[in-house]
Amino acid sequence: MIKPIKTIQPNDPNESNEGTKPKGISAADRAARAFRKRFGMEPAQVASAPGRVNLIGEHVDYTEGIVLPFAIDPRAAIAIGPSTDHQSTFVAEDLAASVTYPGPPSVVPDPSPAHRFANHLLGVLHAAGGTDGRTLNILVASDIPIGAGLSSSAAVEVALGAALAAWLDRPTNPHALARQAQIAEHDFVGTPCGIMDMLISAAGIAGHAIRIDCRDLQLTPVAMPRPEEAEVLIVDSGVTHRLSDGGYADRRASCERVQTILAGSLRDASLESLCDSRISDRDRTRATHVIEENARVNAAVAALETGDLSLLGEILLDGHRSLRQLFEVSIPELDCIVDTAAELRGDGCFGARMTGGGFGGSALLLVATTAVESVRKTVEQRFASTYGRTPTSMTVRACQGVRIES
Ligand code: GLA
């Protein structure tokens, strides 16, 4: 479904060694192939789950807000199977990293910085209720660029939850997979994230964004524009973000302080209620973003439903202004991409905004299909003239969520 304009993580297409991504081979096939090579047997199960782009609804999922993400084609895959050596080995093919534990995997985080990747897996195994005392091998392969704000971690976690459930013949569903992934992030990785990334990775529907009500986790599919009409272009700032670095937790803490003062969720708060003098100026500004962002999501859903892409573009630009000025999670590189996109409004670009947690990562541009190449070129040129390097970009379409691969 993806139409790469440029791959974000360039690899030699002719190579097939570990750590490279042979052209045209899916993450699932790479995971299965590397599993066979490493462990000398077929995996018991292979599952894959997608990355995501959030169309709008940023920094509202952890205050019971409304978000509008869609699953994208780059996927992470997990191959899983029993081990025969009384040890459990995890291999991350793209990171050229591996770790072996004696016996079944532990139920506590691995403190070693070199095994950071393993905590995503340990956390899911723990949240899923363990492995029934079995030792196992896990091979991870992913096409989702790390640090580009496209939820590579959530995809790995959701894929593992699905592979594990299939292997151990346990019932599961998208909400359970998302919850397990979130527990892994909170308790093993140290990222106090919301539920959006994992839930869309588990529940994505081809051709649709999904309006997620983060209060009751109700999912409402909303059709994306037809591909003949408009495309979503992702431009990666090249600035790697890491949500465990502190800025994310700081924003979340602001929202929680306001909620404590108001004795209720920001989802129910009005702008007037923020006049409470116990709320600091900074927290008030951030909470203003949250309240207005929830309204923008509903407006965006209405614009998609009526096919008003020009209005949708305006809403995206408004959302970016708010993240930049009120919530303060944008960076100059993302602003440069979005400002250039805004200047191209008469030339086929409907609108743009940063997507994801911020402090780096990617911007999304909603572009008339006929104008994708020219918009991309102008944005790349402007970025290159400012920062001395060309950003990578790709168009993405809404895809299916997690699946067991045959
Ligand atoms: C990250 C988090 C999500 C969400 C976004 C901001 O992607 O993982 O839960 O909070 O940031 O909208």
Side-chain angles (χ1 to χ4, degrees):
M1 302 277 270
I2 189 171
K3 294 199 302 181
I5 287 173
K6 242 183 212 177
T7 48
I8 281 188
Q9 284 181 330
N11 281 297
D12 182 345
N14 301 313
E15 289 289 325
S16 60
N17 297 328
E18 272 198 6
T20 63
K21 296 173 184 168
K23 195 178 186 179
I25 298 185
S26 67
D29 285 346
R30 283 195 296 115
R33 180 190 283 195
F35 188 98
R36 272 182 230 116
K37 189 171 163 197
R38 174 80 182 230
F39 301 113
M41 64 168 80
E42 285 296 319
Q45 291 290 344
V46 178
S48 73
R52 67 98 188 89
V53 164
N54 188 18
L55 203 50
I56 193 154
E58 220 65 88
H59 284 278
V60 298
D61 61 344
Y62 47 82
T63 49
E64 302 185 337
I66 313 162
V67 296
L68 190 62
F70 60 97
I72 58 175
D73 198 40
R75 299 179 82 85
I78 293 280
I80 193 171
S83 79
T84 52
D85 55 6
H86 310 293
Q87 310 187 99
S88 295
T89 297
F90 303 168
V91 179
E93 206 212 17
D94 309 290
L95 304 176
S98 74
V99 58
T100 297
Y101 301 107
S106 85
V107 293
V108 290
D110 187 328
S112 163
H115 301 154
R116 202 183 152 81
F117 83 96
N119 283 327
H120 297 271
L121 310 176
L122 290 170
V124 171
L125 297 177
H126 167 67
T131 60
D132 296 343
R134 301 191 204 194
T135 53
L136 79 168
N137 294 321
I138 297 175
L139 198 308
V140 187
S142 178
D143 292 333
I144 308 167
I146 293 171
L150 303 178
S151 290
S152 54
S153 303
V156 168
E157 292 152 2
V158 167
L160 175 57
L164 184 75
W167 179 43
L168 298 179
D169 207 16
R170 292 174 177 165
T172 193
N173 60 58
H175 286 88
L177 293 174
R179 182 71 191 123
Q180 288 165 13
Q182 193 187 29
I183 291 172
E185 288 288 340
H186 285 190
D187 298 346
F188 281 64
V189 180
T191 303
C193 61
I195 193 87
M196 167 174 71
D197 304 344
M198 33 289 280
L199 192 48
I200 188 62
S201 182
I205 299 176
H208 293 74
I210 299 197
R211 178 189 187 277
I212 303 177
D213 182 326
C214 297
R215 170 169 277 168
D216 59 13
L217 300 187
Q218 198 182 330
L219 310 175
T220 310
V222 183
M224 289 287 285
R226 286 176 295 111
E228 313 85 78
E229 199 183 356
E231 295 273 13
V232 174
L233 178 66
I234 298 297
V235 182
D236 184 0
S237 69
V239 178
T240 303
H241 82 146
R242 194 181 266 177
L243 295 183
S244 50
D245 279 351
Y248 184 91
D250 178 63
R251 302 307 185 279
R252 184 169 180 157
S254 276
C255 296
E256 282 164 2
R257 274 194 298 273
V258 175
Q259 294 192 136
T260 304
I261 291 171
L262 299 182
S265 165
L266 273 176
R267 169 73 177 271
D268 304 316
S270 63
L271 292 175
E272 295 69 47
S273 68
L274 299 183
C275 296
D276 191 310
S277 59
R278 292 170 296 168
I279 300 174
S280 72
D281 286 348
R282 169 171 280 183
D283 288 354
R284 180 178 300 115
T285 306
R286 291 175 176 175
T288 300
H289 161 78
V290 173
I291 293 172
E292 293 179 343
E293 184 79 347
N294 281 323
R296 272 190 290 271
V297 176
N298 285 329
V301 169
L304 273 173
E305 285 172 347
T306 55
D308 192 340
L309 298 188
S310 176
L311 175 59
L312 179 58
E314 263 173 48
I315 297 167
L316 299 181
L317 288 166
D318 266 357
H320 185 79
R321 266 191 292 276
S322 181
L323 288 163
R324 177 181 187 168
Q325 292 165 6
L326 303 186
F327 216 68
E328 296 179 303
V329 290
S330 188
I331 55 169
E333 288 85 343
L334 289 169
D335 296 338
C336 169
I337 297 165
V338 173
D339 288 347
T340 311
E343 286 169 27
L344 296 171
R345 283 206 81 200
D347 298 308
C349 184
F350 295 109
R353 58 182 286 275
M354 54 156 276
T355 184
F359 310 106
S362 301
L364 74 84
L365 285 67
L366 182 67
V367 187
T369 303
T370 49
V372 168
E373 280 308 315
S374 61
V375 167
R376 179 180 68 87
K377 204 167 153 208
T378 307
V379 169
E380 283 189 0
Q381 278 169 353
R382 176 74 60 83
F383 190 98
S385 68
T386 313
Y387 295 104
R389 60 186 170 84
T390 304
T392 50
S393 59
M394 60 182 173
T395 53
V396 290
R397 291 195 186 157
C399 292
Q400 183 198 341
V402 68
R403 64 173 177 245
I404 298 294
E405 306 277 346
S406 51

